[in-house]
Amino acid sequence: MPNELQIKQFEMSDREAVLAFLPLAYPGEALKGDPAFWAWHFLENPYAEPGNIPLWIVKDGETVV
């Protein structure tokens, strides 16, 4: 049975899959895939709450798509 797509709010357990996806989604825009920039933009943002990161993702199994 093929994996079903899952739309979900980002959780810290998704971090590595998101970081692996970003260079594919934004070729030629290295800053968007930079782990430090990504952490600053989402995790260290003063308007983001731990456990309620304002990011939604789509996963196919364990892969962010």
Side-chain angles (χ1 to χ4, degrees):
M1 170 186 264
N3 291 325
E4 291 187 24
L5 296 179
Q6 176 187 19
I7 300 169
K8 62 181 285 244
Q9 188 171 9
F10 171 83
E11 297 173 3
M12 285 304 294
S13 61
D14 300 314
R15 183 178 184 274
E16 293 306 315
V18 167
L19 291 175
F21 168 76
L22 290 174
L24 301 173
Y26 300 104
E29 296 184 56
L31 184 61
K32 290 186 178 178
D34 179 82
F37 176 79
W38 184 87
W40 170 80
H41 190 78
F42 290 104
L43 305 180
E44 299 163 11
N45 185 320
Y47 299 104
E49 300 171 13
N52 189 19
I53 305 300
L55 176 63
W56 288 80
I57 60 174
V58 178
K59 291 181 84 175
D60 183 2
E62 293 302 313
T63 304
V64 172
V65 295

